[in-house]
Amino acid sequence: MKELDIYIDGASKGNPGPSGIGVVICRNGETIKNFSSFIGNTTNNVAEYTALIYGLEEALMLKAESVKINTDSQLLYRQLKKLYKVKSPNIIGLYNQAERLFSHFKQATLKNIPREENKGADKLATKAVKDQIKKDKSLKIG
């Protein structure tokens, strides 16, 4: 079975503010792909969900059958595990999209990891925001 480990993170400078995502995709302990993207002005929670969706879509394109999502976002983790209700209108659509994407895999697991174990995705998300702020001096933080 084609299995992937996916590390995701979202970053927002100000909440809401300029935001980015970072995704690291590994197979058998080796990074096979990573990417970051600036996603505009939004909240950290929207950035976290956007990173998840990008990661799941990429896994589908890589024809993965099984995914293990690693996140340091307790809110995202607890909402997807149905421990917390999704109340924010900004999150409901993203939550539903993530649930639909999860259904395409034979197996999907979600793991809440400490920030220290998510440094790769964190760096990518932060870099996306910093690079965009350098490019566009008109972006307001906070």
Side-chain angles (χ1 to χ4, degrees):
M1 183 158 46
K2 202 168 183 184
E3 296 179 312
L4 297 176
D5 282 303
I6 303 172
Y7 294 81
I8 60 166
D9 203 15
S12 181
K13 301 299 172 204
N15 201 17
S19 301
I21 61 162
V23 179
V24 178
I25 300 176
C26 303
R27 184 183 300 131
N28 301 326
E30 283 196 36
T31 300
I32 59 167
K33 189 162 198 172
N34 60 37
F35 53 91
S36 62
S37 182
F38 178 74
I39 59 167
N41 273 4
T42 190
T43 65
N44 191 63
N45 292 335
V46 167
E48 297 280 0
Y49 269 95
T50 303
L52 170 64
I53 289 164
Y54 271 68
L56 291 171
E57 287 174 342
E58 194 64 34
L60 286 171
M61 287 188 268
L62 292 168
K63 301 191 178 352
E65 296 173 13
S66 171
V67 291
K68 184 182 352 172
I69 303 297
N70 298 281
T71 178
D72 60 22
S73 168
Q74 287 190 0
L75 181 75
L76 178 137
Y77 174 81
R78 290 177 179 165
Q79 286 177 334
L80 287 166
K81 288 291 194 177
K82 300 180 178 28
L83 301 171
Y84 288 174
K85 281 192 164 80
V86 181
K87 295 178 185 167
S88 167
N90 296 343
I91 299 291
I92 289 171
L94 297 169
Y95 171 90
N96 289 336
Q97 188 177 353
E99 287 282 294
R100 263 194 322 278
L101 288 166
F102 274 123
S103 73
H104 291 284
F105 298 97
K106 285 184 182 171
Q107 186 177 3
T109 56
L110 188 63
K111 187 175 180 193
N112 193 213
I113 60 173
R115 286 189 77 130
E116 305 81 63
E117 291 177 29
N118 206 24
K119 285 184 180 163
D122 178 61
K123 274 186 186 157
L124 289 167
T126 301
K127 181 182 179 335
V129 176
K130 285 182 178 173
D131 288 353
Q132 188 65 32
I133 289 170
K134 277 184 204 161
K135 267 193 250 176
D136 184 352
K137 299 291 185 207
S138 71
L139 283 176
K140 290 188 173 68
I141 299 171

